[in-house]
Amino acid sequence: MIHRRKFLQLGSLGLSSFSFPSFISSKSTAARRPIVISTWDAGIDANKAAWQVLRNGGRALDAVEQGVMVTESSQNCCVGLGANPDRDGFVTLDSCIMDENGNCGGVAFLERIKHPVSVARRVMEKTPHVLLVGAGAQQFAVEQGFPLEPQKLSPDAERSYKEWLKKSEYKPVINIENNANKKNQAAFAPAKLDNGEWNHDTIGMVAMDANGNLSGTCTTSGAGFKMRGRVGDSPIIGAGLFVDNEVGAATATGQGEDVIRICGSHLVVELMRQGLSPENACKKAVERIIKIKGSKAKDIQVGFIAINKQGEYGGYCIQKGFNFAVCYADDKNFLVDGKYVL
Ligand code: ASP
């Protein structure tokens, strides 16, 4: 499997594929719009699609949906139907979306639907609700005309799952996550794999359009080999994503339980409201998780990214290894290494 962070992505916009130190890039972004940023290496391709909408005067909401659909369609280990399954071998998807008017929608524990972001948008636009889950979410998707895809793992996911099964000795046990048995824990927490990669990724994307309106989305298959039925932060408004058109927008990736614990993306936006830059707001949110986790913080990764109404952007994470993609011109779509606390 090609791991995203090892995959050197050359943008077709003639784009740089190297990483800027974030202190350089974040200082030079004042009053910039349109702009789109998104998590991890896969953000480069996703930004490209979003940028096509933004550069033509399109709405940020359309841009973020189009953007992350690229990742949902790719054979990504952690987003879309090609991703790693849960412990029982099923790919389950989580997603949410939020616009400039505070409208929002989400789906969680959704199976066999290719574009959860678009179903999340339908939840927002066509129902009086914010979140649909599981069979109900799937039923709604089908009613809305989304095709039911075959229940089949991608070749990469199948290989990873078989590999995982060798060690996992999975037996459904209550509180398995708290079990002192390291063999069982390794499947989910700590989330660092033997090869140094993290056991999860997500695409979170936030954008401001030419009219100065903000929107965002977050979409994922969640943590690899999670317990069946587990839902992380990504479809939860306020946790994996938050947008306030007066202030800014933020999204998260990493260990979702710890993002939910602090209502992470909402916290980042509120910190920006108090005057913090996007980068410092993300840093404070990361520090709050570290304070709560204490010595266990070294076993997890969480990253936040954010933009404000001035078009400034920033990101921060717990530990080295997180990056995000920033795009604000035809020839500006580049990766930024997230600063880290530990
Ligand atoms: N935040 C996602 C989750 O916990 C996974 C990730 O971003 O790596 O489901």
Side-chain angles (χ1 to χ4, degrees):
M1 182 190 318
I2 300 175
H3 285 284
R4 290 203 272 162
R5 283 177 293 296
K6 288 191 185 140
F7 182 68
L8 197 61
Q9 177 62 58
L10 292 168
S12 70
L13 302 173
L15 308 173
S16 42
S17 61
F18 57 90
S19 291
F20 285 81
S22 71
F23 70 91
I24 293 178
S25 46
S26 60
K27 272 191 182 159
S28 57
T29 61
R32 180 170 281 144
R33 76 182 193 216
I35 180 169
V36 56
I37 68 172
S38 55
T39 54
W40 304 111
D41 295 6
I44 290 282
D45 277 349
N47 281 0
K48 246 186 267 172
W51 182 251
Q52 291 310 311
V53 177
L54 294 172
R55 76 191 294 277
N56 292 318
R59 194 177 165 201
L61 183 72
D62 295 320
V64 296
E65 181 186 11
Q66 294 294 318
V68 303
M69 281 172 77
V70 170
T71 325
E72 287 180 343
S73 296
S74 68
Q75 287 301 306
N76 188 298
C77 70
C78 312
V79 179
L81 289 177
N84 286 332
D86 65 15
R87 291 178 177 187
D88 290 6
F90 300 102
V91 177
T92 74
L93 303 176
D94 299 338
S95 180
C96 72
I97 193 162
M98 190 163 189
D99 76 6
E100 71 273 21
N101 299 313
N103 298 312
C104 51
V107 287
F109 193 39
L110 177 64
E111 295 178 85
R112 300 178 59 188
I113 299 290
K114 189 171 178 189
H115 289 300
V117 63
S118 302
V119 186
R121 183 167 177 174
R122 297 287 175 93
V123 172
M124 173 175 90
E125 290 176 343
K126 308 267 187 211
T127 80
H129 306 305
V130 165
L131 186 60
L132 294 180
V133 307
Q138 191 188 71
Q139 182 184 323
F140 171 71
V142 170
E143 282 164 12
Q144 289 290 312
F146 292 87
L148 210 48
E149 305 292 338
Q151 186 123 52
K152 194 173 180 324
L153 293 183
S154 69
D156 278 347
E158 188 155 4
R159 212 168 305 124
S160 305
Y161 183 52
K162 281 190 179 145
E163 207 42 49
W164 177 81
L165 280 173
K166 278 188 203 161
K167 273 201 193 167
S168 72
E169 296 175 357
Y170 172 49
K171 297 182 191 80
V173 176
I174 287 177
N175 286 339
I176 193 168
E177 309 310 338
N178 294 330
N179 192 322
N181 178 344
K182 277 276 176 199
K183 261 188 180 170
N184 281 335
Q185 278 203 345
F188 183 75
K192 200 152 195 174
L193 302 175
D194 295 344
N195 64 3
E197 294 283 330
W198 291 98
N199 187 22
H200 42 110
D201 275 19
T202 285
I203 185 146
M205 175 180 274
V206 289
M208 180 162 60
D209 60 31
N211 293 321
N213 285 323
L214 297 164
S215 288
T217 178
C218 191
T219 187
T220 190
S221 59
F225 318 118
K226 59 194 175 186
M227 292 180 77
R228 183 139 179 84
R230 179 266 188 188
V231 170
D233 59 314
S234 307
I236 312 289
I237 296 295
L241 174 73
F242 196 69
V243 177
D244 183 321
N245 210 41
E246 288 184 357
V247 179
T251 185
T253 181
Q255 188 112 321
E257 285 73 6
D258 295 304
V259 176
I260 293 173
R261 238 181 276 293
I262 63 158
C263 299
S265 295
H266 182 259
L267 175 63
V268 171
V269 171
E270 290 309 303
L271 289 166
M272 290 195 289
R273 193 192 306 280
Q274 290 168 23
L276 265 61
S277 68
E279 184 177 291
N280 283 336
C282 293
K283 183 179 184 202
K284 279 255 177 289
V286 165
E287 286 171 345
R288 192 169 295 187
I289 292 175
I290 292 171
K291 192 168 174 208
I292 291 169
K293 298 296 282 186
S295 62
K296 291 193 185 126
K298 66 177 183 345
D299 296 330
I300 60 162
Q301 176 66 303
V302 169
F304 291 103
I305 60 171
I307 55 175
N308 64 15
K309 285 292 271 190
Q310 287 70 51
E312 295 170 323
Y313 62 85
Y316 231 93
C317 55
I318 294 181
Q319 47 196 304
K320 196 174 176 184
F322 168 64
N323 60 6
F324 58 101
V326 177
C327 179
Y328 49 77
D330 282 356
D331 61 348
K332 291 277 184 295
N333 185 16
F334 52 86
L335 291 171
V336 177
D337 286 331
K339 288 186 185 175
Y340 49 95
V341 178
L342 295 185

